[in-house]
Amino acid sequence: MKLRAALLCCALMASGASPRFDFEDITAKAGIRFIAENGATPEKMMIETMGSGVGVLDYDRDGRLDIVFVSGGGRPGSAAAGHNRLALYRNEGNGSFTDRTEAAGLAGSFETYGMGVAIGDYDNDGMPDLLLTGFPRSVLFHNNGNGTFTDVTRSAGVENRGNWATSAGWIDYDRDGLLDLVIANYVSDFSWSEPRSCGDPAPGRRTYCHPDVYRGAGVRLFHNDAHGRFHDVTAEAGLESTQGKCLGLVLADLDGDGWPDIFVANDSVQNFLYLNERNGKFREAGLSSGVGFSEDGQAEAGMGADAAYLDVAAPALYVTHLDNELNRLYRNVGERHFRDATVEARLGAERSLSSGFGVRFADFDNSGRQQILVANGHILDNIALFHPRVAYRENLQLFSDIGEWKFRDASADAGLIFRKELVSRGLAVGDFDDDGLLDFVVSQNFGPPLLARNRSVHSGNWITLKLEGAGHSNRDAIGAEITIAAAGQRQKAQVMGASSYCSASDMRVHFGLGSARLIDQLIIRWPSGKVETFRGLPVNRSSRIVERP
């Protein structure tokens, strides 16, 4: 793989051709000094190797995207537990970021081992709030609107006490205009006091346990009762499960009925697809819909997940997995059914040597077509002892849509970043420098993050939309569906409340437009069900659209 990448790079240089994608590592230049800690111990407790996520938000509403990183730290009560679980870096607008963790009131361990973040304005005050997931509790921070946050976990009722929470996200499942909270939990019987021993007891050969040695947990749904309070409606919504080992989470309307659904990527057990029955309840349809297992009927190690429209028909799902498996592309064929299209899409024909975690669909070259960015890193730090061809530190991967549901691996010609060896976990996407090209940030398990600036030169026109709900829609417009027509091409996207792995991307909706110089038509179906149409919108700018009362 490395030799092929080097040869392709040399061939491009010799021919004078410029690569279609080009990303630069600006982490150090931007002033980001964060290190994610995992509190690794000789006991090799499973939580140490899972790693944490990363979130993107404009916490102070200055129009620039800021970043929040998550650290596991260590076992509560240990020396490592005193370290911060969160690090908030403010975007200064000049290419640099400033650590504002303490000033924002986010310093501390919060009696938990940090895992992930979810961003959403749950009280509709116009300021993004922040949820930290972890073990043995999750923590909700209310944005005070003055650059600071307040821990409101207990009064809000979303502590999720005793659970090992991973991904989380916001969803207005009953369309009452208030964001509800979905928290995905991994396993139910992990314990600091009773660590399980797995692998060879010989020195250096002990391994982290497989999830099979633990019981499942499932997702929890917290209904927003207004006035800053939630209550757990998991059972009455039909979401109770002791089978799920939840890592990746997608909150989106997957069947086109205007109501948000829940997809869960489970580790080594069947994936869940909870379809919204529009009466406060969900129906699990993982098996019947075709997304529960691989094409050959196997439960795989679901890590991260995302959804996007590869055509305007219906959103597809992509799920990342462990080595010796395939990352799966599930094509939505309508009528609440999906088909495993991985092989025909040229996204995998033989078992992979990589282990995927965070994943995002995005149009990085503004071509009007989606790319798939995957953050890779193995679970076992000593995997080479058992499988010499498999590495612990792995490369990022970028797959480019070349039309007709076919992709090509564009990793080798996308910049030196894609030859870095990382223990990647979380992945979030956003335009940090507001130049119309999407950038990204990756978190590592016990290591520094990677902030990548997109400097692709052969890029098309674009538009970025910041939707703001009003009336019967939530303020973030999570659940809105946008359809655009430009230069004879139609595209569609949703404002989604969760995707990737333990991470939160920018909720602004970005469309690459290729050579189009005008948006002929823009249709928004708001979460309330209201539909608005706009015509003749200019390109190459960010636009804020507020729902009409």
Side-chain angles (χ1 to χ4, degrees):
M1 178 65 75
K2 291 181 179 178
L3 177 60
R4 183 172 64 86
L7 289 173
L8 180 54
C9 179
C10 291
L12 286 167
M13 293 172 62
S15 66
S18 298
R20 185 171 170 185
F21 305 98
D22 187 18
F23 296 90
E24 176 191 6
D25 180 356
I26 62 168
T27 313
K29 185 189 304 184
I32 295 174
R33 304 287 183 261
F34 171 78
I35 299 291
E37 299 174 342
N38 65 356
T41 63
E43 289 84 4
K44 286 192 178 291
M45 296 186 179
M46 189 179 187
I47 199 169
E48 300 165 2
T49 192
M50 297 310 293
S52 48
V54 58
V56 174
L57 75 166
D58 181 4
Y59 84 100
D60 53 1
R61 287 303 192 208
D62 65 355
R64 298 188 291 265
L65 291 179
D66 313 302
I67 307 174
V68 59
F69 298 103
V70 183
S71 180
R75 177 177 181 170
S78 68
H83 296 180
N84 292 341
R85 292 298 181 264
L86 294 170
L88 176 64
Y89 278 81
R90 182 178 186 267
N91 188 338
E92 300 298 338
N94 58 3
S96 69
F97 288 74
T98 303
D99 188 340
R100 301 293 294 171
T101 310
E102 188 167 350
L106 294 175
S109 66
F110 308 109
E111 302 175 356
T112 197
Y113 185 102
M115 285 294 300
V117 289
I119 310 295
D121 180 8
Y122 72 83
D123 56 355
N124 289 333
D125 67 352
M127 304 301 295
D129 306 302
L130 170 65
L131 179 86
L132 166 67
T133 65
F135 176 77
R137 65 190 295 259
S138 297
V139 189
L140 178 62
F141 299 93
H142 176 260
N143 191 326
N144 300 319
N146 60 0
T148 68
F149 293 80
T150 298
D151 181 347
V152 296
T153 312
R154 290 189 171 89
S155 62
V158 295
E159 191 174 28
N160 197 38
R161 171 64 71 173
N163 288 313
W164 174 356
T166 53
S167 294
W170 299 94
I171 180 175
D172 185 3
Y173 78 99
D174 54 359
R175 288 178 33 175
D176 65 353
L178 295 171
L179 288 178
D180 312 298
L181 176 63
V182 178
I183 298 181
N185 297 305
Y186 190 38
V187 296
S188 62
D189 51 346
F190 173 80
S191 169
W192 291 111
S193 59
E194 299 178 1
R196 302 192 181 182
S197 179
C198 296
D200 190 332
R205 298 186 67 86
R206 183 168 177 170
T207 64
Y208 291 103
C209 290
H210 190 277
D212 284 353
V213 307
Y214 294 96
R215 295 192 299 271
V219 299
R220 309 302 298 179
L221 175 62
F222 296 88
H223 181 265
N224 189 336
D225 296 336
H227 309 296
R229 292 186 174 88
F230 295 75
H231 77 276
D232 190 333
V233 295
T234 307
E236 46 263 58
L239 297 172
E240 285 278 10
S241 172
T242 58
Q243 304 301 314
K245 297 176 181 179
C246 313
L247 291 177
L249 182 67
V250 172
L251 302 179
D253 176 10
L254 296 172
D255 59 2
D257 66 353
W259 292 74
D261 309 302
I262 302 171
F263 174 79
V264 182
N266 282 317
D267 190 357
S268 303
V269 295
Q270 176 195 320
N271 298 323
F272 295 151
L273 174 58
Y274 293 107
L275 296 172
N276 195 326
E277 296 289 86
R278 296 175 281 182
N279 58 2
K281 299 182 182 298
F282 291 81
R283 176 175 62 85
E284 205 290 297
L287 179 60
S288 63
S289 67
V291 298
F293 299 94
S294 65
E295 185 178 34
D296 51 0
Q298 299 298 311
E300 296 179 305
M303 306 292 195
D306 196 14
Y309 292 87
L310 299 182
D311 55 36
V312 294
L317 284 165
Y318 191 82
V319 185
T320 59
H321 296 110
L322 201 62
D323 70 289
N324 201 37
E325 298 175 341
L326 293 177
N327 294 339
R328 298 286 173 179
L329 175 67
Y330 293 99
R331 183 173 183 175
N332 194 329
V333 295
E335 302 296 327
R336 296 183 165 185
H337 285 87
F338 292 76
R339 175 167 54 83
D340 186 341
T342 308
V343 175
E344 66 187 76
R346 301 176 185 171
L347 286 168
E350 59 184 29
R351 301 297 179 179
S352 173
L353 297 179
S354 298
S355 297
F357 275 84
V359 58
R360 285 292 288 165
F361 286 101
D363 186 351
F364 289 110
D365 63 350
N366 292 333
S367 62
R369 291 177 175 171
Q370 297 290 311
Q371 290 86 51
I372 305 173
L373 177 62
V374 181
N376 295 307
H378 206 274
I379 293 292
L380 304 181
D381 53 1
N382 56 358
I383 183 62
L385 292 176
F386 312 101
H387 300 285
R389 296 180 62 211
V390 179
Y392 179 50
R393 299 181 178 277
E394 301 175 343
N395 305 120
L396 301 171
Q397 291 176 298
L398 182 67
F399 301 96
S400 180
D401 183 353
I402 58 175
E404 298 182 349
W405 282 84
K406 300 290 188 296
F407 287 78
R408 73 173 183 92
D409 188 343
S411 311
D413 59 342
L416 294 176
I417 279 180
F418 286 83
R419 291 196 284 279
K420 282 182 174 288
E421 296 178 340
L422 307 168
V423 189
S424 299
R425 294 296 185 258
L427 166 66
V429 172
D431 184 359
F432 295 105
D433 52 4
D434 293 315
D435 65 350
L437 290 169
L438 290 176
D439 313 301
F440 66 87
V441 57
V442 174
S443 61
Q444 287 199 82
N445 184 38
F446 191 41
L450 170 67
L451 177 59
R453 177 177 177 265
N454 188 345
R455 57 183 189 182
S456 303
V457 295
H458 298 295
S459 57
N461 296 321
W462 56 276
I463 190 169
T464 298
L465 302 173
K466 169 58 179 173
L467 303 189
E468 187 173 306
H472 294 292
S473 293
N474 64 85
R475 186 74 172 264
D476 284 336
I478 290 175
E481 179 188 86
I482 307 99
T483 305
I484 67 168
Q489 181 184 14
R490 295 178 70 232
Q491 297 183 62
K492 188 178 286 189
Q494 292 183 35
V495 182
M496 300 193 305
S499 65
S500 191
Y501 165 82
C502 290
S503 300
S505 291
D506 182 15
M507 280 189 290
R508 294 181 299 177
V509 178
H510 177 93
F511 289 98
L513 302 170
S515 60
R517 298 182 179 179
L518 191 72
I519 305 293
D520 300 317
Q521 185 182 66
L522 168 68
I523 302 172
I524 302 174
R525 185 186 71 189
W526 295 94
S528 63
K530 183 183 300 182
V531 176
E532 292 188 68
T533 301
F534 305 84
R535 300 182 190 278
L537 298 180
V539 301
N540 295 337
R541 65 185 61 194
S542 296
S543 298
R544 173 174 170 261
I545 302 179
V546 181
E547 182 183 15
R548 292 174 184 169

